[in-house]
Amino acid sequence: MKSAYFHIPFCAQICYYCDFNKVFFQGQPVDEYLQAMEREMKKTVEVFPAERLDTLFVGGGTPTVLEMKQLDFLLESIYKHFRFSKDEVEFTFEANPNELSKEKLQLLKAAGVNRLSFGVQTFHDSLLKTIGRTHRYGDVMRTISLAKEAGFDNISIDLMYGLPNQTLQQFQEDLEIAFSLDIQHISAYSLIIEPKTIFYNLWRKGTLPLPSEEEEAEMYEEAMRQMELHGYQQYEISNYARPGFQSRHNLTYWNNEEYYGIGAGAHSYVDGVRRVNIGPIKQYIAKVQETGLPYREVHRVTWMEQMEEEMFLGLRKTEGVSKRRFSEKFGRDMHDVFGAAIRAERQKGLLEETDTHVRLTRRGRLLGNEVFQAFLTGM
């Protein structure tokens, strides 16, 4: 185990598309929640002793909605229970562009946080309003400037396409502005309509004006083309980085490696077992106080499931799945297990094969979910 994820489920505003485990910040038992997280950390490393970690990721929700003392407590808790080298670890904090003051940035920097991931989504104020974001274009420019002044030199932003009423031209403008920021990493995701969101309810009523599938595909093609032109290498379906700045933490997931998950609704993968924590805040706190480990689901991953996950997670990477690594990990030749699926997807033009890897074609990246499904049926 070399990675740990910490979930802060509080938000100042609930975005209309978000289905992550989150609640409004106001009126919540935030201090009690952070104390419960600290207790879960302690119990977790007692039961599953920690190696020296290579990556830490604090996500949400909105971690930066926490007040200074609360941020300080969280960071102290992490240092208390996990071992890592400040000089070698990738320590990421997710942030909203309008919630990071100079003081918070200095606190994070002093605590060893060395990577920031900003939920920008778009630079168009009209679209930001449409999707329920509270920040505006000016907030992004100001906060990224402050982050650079504070010494952060590994900055990522999230962009979204396929938004209601979004045009290709608007997305092209978003990309141009992103490139002008001189940052190291950009994630570009298509909007997915998830149940239990405001957008899902509007979509069910037929009142959500989305771009067509063809327009969304054009936006994705444009992202791939422009990123390459501007020196950002696509290393995963939705992620692009300057050389040396790939998200090491997210590669943990795509490489099908194990990780700790701390906090309400967090997922973990430890000793071949996937666990899901209780989501509701008060229930999570109560369970931690009772047992220290707030699991809602526990599933031991079968050998076949591990091989399936190796394929559909690994195929998200542009380099694809290593044949040698598959064989070393499972003692089976990839083609002995998934030969029929590989051949079928190759015939469709969605997969290609080299001497060392199986990977999605450029067209396959547009239809990734269809390809992944082919590896969920086993042999």
Side-chain angles (χ1 to χ4, degrees):
M1 205 116 45
K2 295 185 177 179
S3 298
Y5 172 80
F6 306 89
H7 190 71
I8 306 299
F10 307 111
C11 293
Q13 164 76 14
I14 304 299
C15 302
Y16 301 160
Y17 54 84
C18 180
D19 74 330
F20 294 148
N21 189 45
K22 78 285 179 187
V23 293
F24 282 112
F25 181 68
Q26 295 298 325
Q28 294 294 330
V30 180
D31 292 337
E32 292 89 339
Y33 176 78
L34 295 174
Q35 290 162 11
M37 281 187 74
E38 196 268 341
R39 185 168 178 179
E40 186 192 355
M41 293 179 209
K42 180 176 185 294
K43 186 69 172 179
T44 296
V45 296
E46 285 176 0
V47 178
F48 310 105
E51 302 175 19
R52 182 183 292 268
L53 298 181
D54 290 337
T55 76
L56 306 167
F57 195 107
V58 182
T62 314
T64 50
V65 77
L66 297 178
E67 297 169 357
M68 290 284 286
K69 286 185 178 179
Q70 294 165 339
L71 278 173
D72 200 35
F73 180 85
L74 172 64
L75 291 161
E76 284 184 3
S77 299
I78 292 171
Y79 269 90
K80 185 176 178 181
H81 298 292
F82 294 94
R83 294 188 300 124
F84 53 92
S85 167
K86 285 179 71 171
D87 295 330
E88 298 175 5
V89 74
E90 177 193 86
F91 194 166
T92 304
F93 242 77
E94 286 186 339
N96 270 0
N98 59 332
E99 289 173 353
L100 258 188
S101 63
K102 186 175 181 180
E103 291 73 25
K104 284 184 181 180
L105 282 163
Q106 290 171 340
L107 172 64
L108 295 177
K109 184 66 178 174
V113 175
N114 54 23
R115 185 174 184 271
L116 296 175
S117 178
F118 288 100
V120 172
Q121 318 314 357
T122 176
F123 294 100
H124 288 83
D125 287 352
S126 59
L127 287 176
L128 287 167
K129 186 176 180 181
T130 295
I131 64 178
R133 300 291 291 186
T134 56
H135 73 269
R136 295 296 179 259
Y137 169 83
D139 297 317
V140 178
M141 310 308 283
R142 181 174 58 255
T143 307
I144 289 182
S145 178
L146 282 174
K148 290 181 179 181
E149 288 174 18
F152 287 95
D153 56 8
N154 190 354
I155 296 173
S156 176
I157 66 169
D158 290 348
L159 294 177
M160 295 182 72
Y161 58 91
L163 300 174
N165 290 317
Q166 186 182 31
T167 65
L168 176 60
Q169 182 179 340
Q170 284 177 315
F171 184 60
Q172 289 171 327
E173 291 167 358
D174 281 343
L175 290 170
E176 287 178 21
I177 296 169
F179 299 139
S180 76
L181 295 174
D182 189 28
I183 55 176
Q184 291 70 38
H185 188 282
I186 301 172
S187 300
Y189 301 101
S190 65
L191 174 67
I192 298 174
I193 305 301
E194 301 283 6
K196 300 180 182 178
T197 63
I198 291 174
F199 273 177
Y200 180 77
N201 294 333
L202 293 175
W203 175 74
R204 287 283 301 272
K205 295 174 185 175
T207 57
L208 192 66
L210 297 174
S212 67
E213 287 185 8
E214 292 75 15
E215 289 170 319
E216 188 175 308
E218 281 183 15
M219 293 180 191
Y220 183 47
E221 292 273 13
E222 184 69 6
M224 289 193 288
R225 183 165 52 248
Q226 291 296 333
M227 295 287 185
E228 189 174 354
L229 286 173
H230 287 83
Y232 292 84
Q233 297 174 349
Q234 184 178 20
Y235 68 101
E236 190 268 347
I237 286 178
S238 304
N239 285 272
Y240 310 79
R242 287 181 170 169
F245 288 95
Q246 294 91 342
S247 169
R248 285 159 48 195
H249 183 84
N250 285 339
L251 281 167
T252 297
Y253 305 141
W254 302 322
N255 287 330
N256 197 22
E257 295 169 347
E258 297 192 341
Y259 52 90
Y260 295 107
I262 304 293
H267 293 234
S268 60
Y269 185 25
V270 180
D271 293 344
V273 179
R274 293 195 180 274
R275 297 173 175 87
V276 182
N277 283 0
I278 292 168
I281 307 303
K282 291 181 180 178
Q283 292 179 34
Y284 165 81
I285 294 171
K287 188 66 174 178
V288 171
Q289 289 172 344
E290 179 188 342
T291 67
L293 296 174
Y295 303 141
R296 175 173 62 84
E297 294 177 20
V298 177
H299 173 68
R300 177 162 292 281
V301 185
T302 68
W303 202 240
M304 191 65 219
E305 287 170 337
Q306 288 182 44
M307 289 190 285
E308 291 172 350
E309 290 174 354
E310 189 79 10
M311 296 303 295
F312 71 75
L313 291 170
L315 284 171
R316 293 191 63 89
K317 300 177 295 178
T318 52
E319 73 173 12
V321 184
S322 164
K323 298 176 184 178
R324 181 174 62 83
R325 187 171 184 270
F326 187 98
S327 178
E328 289 174 352
K329 196 169 180 180
F330 303 108
R332 300 280 304 276
D333 183 275
M334 186 189 295
H335 277 273
D336 288 345
V337 186
F338 295 112
I342 292 170
R343 286 191 296 273
E345 299 308 307
R346 283 186 66 181
Q347 287 173 357
K348 296 177 189 174
L350 304 180
L351 274 188
E352 60 188 11
E353 199 168 348
T354 69
D355 290 341
T356 59
H357 286 75
V358 173
R359 65 192 182 199
L360 294 175
T361 61
R362 193 175 180 93
R363 179 167 167 261
R365 295 177 206 168
L366 290 164
L367 300 167
N369 287 336
E370 179 182 320
V371 181
F372 305 152
Q373 192 68 32
F375 293 92
L376 291 177
T377 56
M379 293 191 287

